[in-house]
Amino acid sequence: MELRAGVWGSPRLCGDPGWASINRGVLICDECCSVHRSLGRHISIVKHLRHSPWPATLLQMVHTLASNGANSIWEHSLLDPAQVQSGRRKANPQDKVHPTKSEFIRAKYQMLAFVHKLPCRDDDGVTAKDLSKQLHSSVRTGNLETCLRLLSLGAQANFFHPEKGTTPLHVAAKAGQILQAELLVVYGADPGAPDVNGRTPIDYARQAAQHELAERLVECQYELTDRLAFYLCGRKPDHKNGHYIIPQMADSLDLSELAKAAKKKLQALSNRLFEELAMDVYDEVDRRENDAVWLTTQNHSTLVTERSAVPFLPVNPEYSATRNQGRQKLARFNAREFATLLIDILGEAKRRQQGKSLLSPTDALDYSLRSQSDQDDQHDYDSVASDEDTDQELLRNASRNNRIHKLQAENTQIRQQTGPTHPTPAPSERPEHGHPPGTAPPLRRDRQAFSMYEPGSALKPFGQPVEELVTRLQPFGAGVSVMEGKRFVELSKDEDFPHELDPLDGELDPGLPSTEDVILKTEQVTKNIQELLRAAQESKHDSFMPCSEKIHSAVTEMASLFPKKPALETVRSSLRLLNASAYRLQSECRKTVPPEPGAAVDYQLLTQQVIQCAYDIAKAAKQLVTITTREKKQ
């Protein structure tokens, strides 16, 4: 298992730790690594300590955290003697990987069952804004474990300080804290984020004569395309004479008509969908590289099934079912097909950043860039969606599941009452340093993941911004899509679905309610969701139905603030998700009453489904607050 705090190099729980979990700051053995990898990169980013290529400062950051007690952050409550007396314990080296060790690792990193719980009373609760301000101040020091603890409690790596006009990465760059910068980037901080005057962290590092740090931040900004190029040819650009290497592999490329048609679809994708596809391919590169290291480092004579490779990308519950299935199907690509896709993405990324004209928009790419022989449906993947999902469904689900981190910077400003706001634009919108206006930003693998970078399942005080609730609900929803799959695409056809919005056959209403009214109703929704979460944490299943009724009532009141025929598609989409999720929540909560006396109810699965519905409601409410705030500012 993971090393105990402060004893890196002298493991007490297992054998030689050959791997590291980068975002958790711990070193792990082969057994634990097999479980970590099965969780997915959105939970744990793993890398081999000796056989994987490492940026020197990133490896130093991990070693520093592992040597200074990072593991105690994730096992906080287990260090309490009262917990030992109550029977709660961590797994032992002699325990079997499955189910004992794997269940412990999932509880520790996926459910965040042992992290510090913040006070949840109205009068003394600490908000994510408070934590983010502490992080903003702490990154100027070398105390990495303090910053990791703040991040584990909900501090935002991309927080824009309203008074200082900077993000934590600006502060770390100015102070020359390169290890802090590595930690912040791992948790999603953007090296290209502008301060109040339009200067990026890269600019700050250069102005402070921190040239090594400035060069490293540029590498982080182009991490995605660098990683794809290195996978193909073992080289990276020096970034002084250019940012892209596109390998010439004509003899090894797939030149079929199917591949050519797929390339045209790739070129026609919007910046956001192209970015999502590139991120998925990046994750698949990481999976393939780690698999190669895994197979070369294992003792094949004693290799057992409990320590297996990861055959395809694990499900990320934040993504739509269609996208998850597409991610899994990337594993079907043979070497030739995958190399073709990577070169196409590299070429397209360079073309978009340089601002060359795009083709006319067509259908979205559905990841079916594979040979005709692969068209038959194979059932060796997690249950996430059927191959019959259309491109239109992909687009619809993509809009519903728009990545939360693109809104986080804006939402940190929602509750500010005075002073100008300077939200960090989304990756697909922000003006990157040194490239012409109107061109796409450089693709950077944003390593932020939702159940990982805002960890902590502690309930927060009523009246918190809905942004916090969304990030704190996410860990509970992890894994639901594996169990229920298709419900991310559509509601059960056996249920009567309520009318979402009036038909758009008349004049659309451009009006929007006041931001204050929307925030007020959102806080009521948040309060009721937190009541439901308390019931879930305490296994009070008989409270699910009353809580769902309160949530439904609050959702109805919030939706009534908006016009019956909103002009903005983003408002219509968010209202649809809000109404559908509230209805689904009621349907799930009704299952606490068995249809027949004595019938068994799987409360564990039911609780996961209920919390996933609550997460969708919170996310939709957050989107409505964001849209209203943005539109009122214009």
Side-chain angles (χ1 to χ4, degrees):
M1 300 301 293
E2 288 79 3
L3 296 177
R4 296 293 295 181
V7 291
W8 178 77
S10 177
R12 293 168 52 187
L13 297 178
C14 66
D16 180 31
W19 299 79
S21 174
I22 297 174
N23 57 304
R24 303 304 187 184
V26 296
L27 308 183
I28 52 179
C29 66
D30 285 353
E31 278 189 346
C32 295
C33 177
S34 66
V35 180
H36 276 253
R37 291 195 62 211
S38 70
L39 299 178
R41 294 184 76 257
H42 56 287
I43 302 296
S44 183
I45 305 172
V46 299
K47 204 175 187 72
H48 199 276
L49 290 170
R50 294 177 294 279
H51 296 282
S52 297
W54 281 85
T57 51
L58 180 63
L59 180 60
Q60 185 182 352
M61 184 271 288
V62 173
H63 279 174
T64 301
L65 284 174
S67 300
N68 288 278
N71 191 55
S72 64
I73 294 173
W74 314 111
E75 295 184 359
H76 177 84
S77 64
L78 292 180
L79 302 178
D80 183 355
Q83 297 294 338
V84 177
Q85 295 175 3
S86 67
R88 297 180 69 179
R89 67 170 185 87
K90 65 186 299 178
N92 291 322
Q94 62 270 22
D95 290 332
K96 292 184 177 180
V97 177
H98 299 290
T100 308
K101 289 183 179 179
S102 62
E103 288 181 354
F104 175 77
I105 292 172
R106 288 180 183 276
K108 179 177 176 180
Y109 294 120
Q110 182 170 316
M111 303 305 292
L112 302 171
F114 314 121
V115 298
H116 178 60
K117 304 297 190 296
L118 292 174
C120 58
R121 297 193 302 274
D122 288 343
D123 55 349
D124 62 357
V126 180
T127 67
K129 182 177 179 180
D130 298 326
L131 293 167
S132 298
K133 285 188 174 182
Q134 292 181 42
L135 177 68
H136 190 278
S137 176
S138 298
V139 293
R140 63 169 51 90
T141 74
N143 199 329
L144 285 178
E145 59 273 20
T146 296
C147 293
L148 180 61
R149 191 176 299 276
L150 289 169
L151 289 163
S152 77
L153 294 173
Q156 303 295 306
N158 263 327
F159 172 74
F160 189 94
H161 199 294
E163 290 84 28
K164 307 291 186 181
T166 57
T167 69
L169 192 54
H170 287 95
V171 177
K174 183 177 181 179
Q177 293 291 345
I178 192 168
L179 300 188
Q180 293 282 23
E182 290 283 2
L183 178 62
L184 290 169
V185 170
V186 164
Y187 275 75
D190 181 7
D195 69 356
V196 68
N197 296 313
R199 295 180 300 169
T200 68
I202 298 172
D203 296 328
Y204 272 62
R206 287 171 177 161
Q207 290 168 4
Q210 299 291 338
H211 302 299
E212 179 187 2
L213 175 53
E215 292 176 4
R216 176 63 186 138
L217 289 176
V218 172
E219 291 177 358
C220 292
Q221 194 168 28
Y222 289 89
E223 179 189 357
L224 189 151
T225 48
D226 283 4
R227 182 79 174 270
L228 301 192
F230 188 83
Y231 178 81
L232 289 172
C233 64
R235 294 186 298 117
K236 293 181 180 180
D238 59 9
H239 294 293
K240 295 179 181 178
N241 301 311
H243 295 301
Y244 295 94
I245 290 179
I246 303 177
Q248 300 297 317
M249 303 175 64
D251 295 339
S252 303
L253 297 184
D254 183 356
L255 302 178
S256 66
E257 291 302 317
L258 179 65
K260 293 177 182 178
K263 183 175 182 178
K264 290 182 179 179
K265 286 189 174 183
L266 178 73
Q267 293 173 334
L269 288 176
S270 68
N271 280 345
R272 180 177 60 81
L273 289 177
F274 175 68
E275 182 182 61
E276 289 180 354
L277 173 61
M279 287 180 175
D280 294 343
V281 171
Y282 175 100
D283 287 350
E284 174 64 13
V285 166
D286 181 81
R287 185 196 68 82
R288 293 188 181 209
E289 287 184 337
N290 276 336
D291 265 358
V293 172
W294 179 268
L295 292 174
T296 59
T297 57
Q298 296 303 297
N299 183 343
H300 293 274
S301 63
T302 60
L303 191 63
V304 294
T305 56
E306 282 189 332
R307 294 163 62 177
S308 59
V310 177
F312 49 82
L313 291 174
V315 167
N316 184 338
E318 171 58 27
Y319 298 157
S320 68
T322 307
R323 183 177 177 185
N324 269 312
Q325 189 182 52
R327 284 166 55 85
Q328 291 178 353
K329 289 179 180 177
L330 288 171
R332 295 182 180 179
F333 284 51
N334 60 35
R336 181 187 183 195
E337 293 164 343
F338 196 56
T340 303
L341 176 58
L342 264 59
I343 290 176
D344 286 348
I345 288 176
L346 287 169
E348 183 63 14
K350 181 178 180 180
R351 183 171 72 88
R352 291 187 184 221
Q353 191 193 355
Q354 292 177 346
K356 296 181 180 179
S357 60
L358 300 178
L359 301 178
S360 300
T362 60
D363 294 338
L365 184 66
D366 63 358
Y367 306 160
S368 57
L369 309 176
R370 55 185 183 275
S371 63
Q372 292 289 350
S373 62
D374 205 23
Q375 294 297 320
D376 55 311
D377 189 20
Q378 300 180 22
H379 298 285
D380 50 359
Y381 296 88
D382 284 3
S383 174
V384 293
S386 83
D387 283 344
E388 297 173 358
D389 291 323
T390 63
D391 287 347
Q392 287 73 25
E393 286 174 324
L394 174 61
L395 285 170
R396 186 162 56 249
N397 280 292
S399 65
R400 280 190 173 186
N401 293 275
N402 196 9
R403 299 178 63 82
I404 297 174
H405 72 269
K406 292 184 179 182
L407 299 174
Q408 285 178 339
E410 292 180 11
N411 282 315
T412 58
Q413 314 300 326
I414 287 175
R415 300 181 62 82
Q416 294 171 14
Q417 301 300 318
T418 60
T421 58
H422 305 277
T424 302
S428 59
E429 300 169 353
R430 58 179 175 259
E432 295 295 342
H433 179 70
H435 84 283
T439 61
L443 277 179
R444 179 181 67 86
R445 166 59 195 173
D446 193 335
R447 286 174 283 190
Q448 181 170 7
F450 307 93
S451 58
M452 176 173 70
Y453 297 131
E454 294 80 37
S457 56
L459 298 176
K460 302 298 292 299
F462 295 154
Q464 64 174 337
V466 70
E467 169 67 28
E468 284 186 62
L469 183 63
V470 170
T471 56
R472 291 193 178 279
L473 274 169
Q474 179 58 32
F476 290 101
V480 174
S481 60
V482 180
M483 302 177 186
E484 247 197 322
K486 187 80 173 180
R487 81 174 183 86
F488 279 81
V489 179
E490 59 183 356
L491 296 177
S492 172
K493 293 183 174 58
D494 296 330
E495 298 174 348
D496 295 324
F497 189 71
H499 296 291
E500 297 174 345
L501 295 173
D502 288 353
L504 300 179
D505 54 0
E507 185 176 352
L508 301 181
D509 188 345
L512 288 175
S514 70
T515 303
E516 292 75 14
D517 288 344
V518 176
I519 291 177
L520 182 63
K521 295 300 182 183
T522 300
E523 288 178 345
Q524 186 62 41
V525 172
T526 300
K527 178 178 179 178
N528 292 327
I529 289 177
Q530 288 186 326
E531 184 179 346
L532 175 65
L533 291 184
R534 287 194 181 93
Q537 286 181 327
E538 298 170 5
S539 299
K540 295 180 178 178
H541 304 112
D542 56 346
S543 298
F544 281 12
M545 272 301 296
C547 289
S548 70
E549 295 293 341
K550 291 181 182 179
I551 293 172
H552 185 270
S553 176
V555 164
T556 301
E557 291 180 8
M558 182 174 183
S560 67
L561 295 175
F562 292 84
K564 292 184 177 181
K565 298 177 182 179
L568 290 175
E569 169 57 32
T570 51
V571 173
R572 295 197 297 270
S573 175
S574 297
L575 287 172
R576 282 194 293 268
L577 177 59
L578 185 72
N579 291 330
S581 301
Y583 177 77
R584 180 69 181 181
L585 176 63
Q586 284 189 302
S587 299
E588 295 294 342
C589 289
R590 291 192 191 104
K591 296 177 182 178
T592 57
V593 180
E596 300 177 0
V601 177
D602 186 344
Y603 284 111
Q604 181 178 2
L605 175 58
L606 176 60
T607 299
Q608 287 181 313
Q609 293 168 345
V610 164
I611 294 177
Q612 179 66 45
C613 293
Y615 166 69
D616 291 337
I617 293 171
K619 181 169 68 172
K622 183 198 104 175
Q623 290 171 351
L624 289 170
V625 173
T626 301
I627 295 167
T628 305
T629 304
R630 183 173 61 240
E631 293 298 320
K632 292 295 182 180
K633 289 178 181 178
Q634 293 179 354

